[in-house]
Amino acid sequence: MTPVDTIRRRAMAAGLVAIGLWGMLAALSVLAGPIPPFQMVAMTFTVGATIGIVRALTRGVGWAGLVGWPGKVWLLGVGGLFGYHALYFAALQLAPPAEANLVNYLWPLLIVLLSAPLAGEKLGWPHLLGAFLGFAGVALLAFGRGLHFAGDHMLGYALALGCALTWSLYSVLSRRFGETPTDAIAAFCAASAVLSLVCHLVFERTVWPATPTGWLAVLALGCGPAGTAFYFWDHAVKRGDIRALGALSYATPILSTAILIACGLAEPTSTLLIAALLVTVGAVLASRELWKR
């Protein structure tokens, strides 16, 4: 195995860690309780930023290594992290959550499709078929819950599509700034936390977790899916096979549903098994070049 292959495999492992952490998002959010969305982002991103800042400083990375980046790097980082979440919460306000989530989950497919024109990757039929199978699995899981798209929610659906486009562009374009170290994510998280706090103070009423379990869930979110997962993802999209990462990302809603079931927060269905099979086949197809190496 060449050094390049080793770097790519480690980056793919980091991507799988991020996807696994995102699978825990729904269960931890339920345990945290009914905390307003922007407040939750402000709290969890603060935890994630703190972890990154402490890690960077203990490794000898000065403040310049955290914040000394060109404006376009800041625009991409903060626009991706804060922009995605702002659009997502707005979409949930204007459209039913299940339908908005399905539209939002176009982002893995868009990552695969945009990787050719924006990241210079070569797309083959395994990547395209794998991504489409992944989306088919997620769509099957969503429609199994009685999905219904109504015309009076079009603005919400458009915002959800904006979510998908924002995250896919952030992920693919991050590859163009591969020289920017992952430590910079700490600064982007901190800036996003501040912007989320402003939005919270303007649009929401503060609601603190009601139990110790709720506080622990918020901390776990910041240490995992709504914080450190972004560091793993940054490394993955800059060094890994972004085409395969797009298809593999469809495991997120499957894992999320499975964890909810394991925690007794949802009921198991045969649809989940079929959806999981489609996502698995799609992921294997899209990442087959990696396994060949």
Side-chain angles (χ1 to χ4, degrees):
M1 186 184 299
T2 67
V4 173
D5 289 334
T6 300
I7 292 172
R8 176 160 285 200
R9 289 205 174 193
R10 287 177 178 173
M12 294 301 291
L16 291 175
V17 171
I19 291 167
L21 289 173
W22 286 331
M24 300 168 60
L25 180 62
L28 288 173
S29 297
V30 171
L31 292 174
I35 300 173
F38 280 113
Q39 180 187 342
M40 177 70 85
V41 173
M43 294 169 70
T44 55
F45 275 40
T46 297
V47 175
T50 301
I51 291 172
I53 292 171
V54 171
R55 176 179 176 272
L57 294 179
T58 55
R59 289 170 48 245
V61 177
W63 287 106
L66 289 170
V67 300
W69 309 113
K72 58 185 178 181
V73 175
W74 275 96
L75 179 63
L76 178 64
V78 178
L81 294 179
F82 174 75
Y84 169 80
H85 288 86
L87 287 170
Y88 181 70
F89 295 140
L92 293 182
Q93 292 293 322
L94 297 171
E99 285 82 349
N101 265 315
L102 179 60
V103 177
N104 169 55
Y105 267 109
L106 284 168
W107 67 260
L109 177 60
L110 289 174
I111 283 179
V112 176
L113 296 178
L114 293 174
S115 65
L118 297 182
E121 296 285 356
K122 185 177 181 180
L123 285 180
W125 69 264
H127 307 109
L128 295 172
L129 181 58
F132 279 110
L133 283 175
F135 182 72
V138 174
L140 177 64
L141 184 64
F143 280 104
R145 298 173 180 171
L147 226 63
H148 176 68
F149 286 92
D152 54 347
H153 296 304
M154 289 304 295
L155 179 56
Y157 303 145
L159 290 173
L161 181 60
C163 293
L165 188 59
T166 298
W167 190 254
S168 58
L169 284 172
Y170 165 73
S171 299
V172 175
L173 291 176
S174 290
R175 204 172 184 86
R176 293 192 174 186
F177 300 98
E179 73 283 355
T180 305
T182 296
D183 292 321
I185 298 296
F188 304 152
C189 281
S192 299
V194 172
L195 291 172
S196 297
L197 177 60
V198 172
C199 290
H200 165 64
L201 295 175
V202 173
F203 300 114
E204 299 174 339
R205 181 176 63 88
T206 301
V207 179
W208 299 111
T211 64
T213 299
W215 281 104
L216 287 174
V218 171
L219 181 61
L221 282 165
C223 291
T228 55
F230 301 132
Y231 298 93
F232 287 108
W233 186 249
D234 181 76
H235 180 67
V237 295
K238 288 176 178 175
R239 305 284 183 267
D241 187 335
I242 197 166
R243 303 161 301 178
L245 283 169
L248 287 166
S249 295
Y250 276 117
T252 300
I254 305 299
L255 285 172
S256 179
T257 304
I259 291 172
L260 287 171
I261 292 170
C263 294
L265 301 172
E267 294 295 325
T269 64
S270 57
T271 304
L272 174 62
L273 294 176
I274 299 173
L277 180 62
L278 285 171
V279 170
T280 301
V281 172
V284 170
L285 274 175
S287 59
R288 69 175 197 162
E289 290 180 14
L290 183 68
W291 313 129
K292 281 182 177 180
R293 294 195 189 97

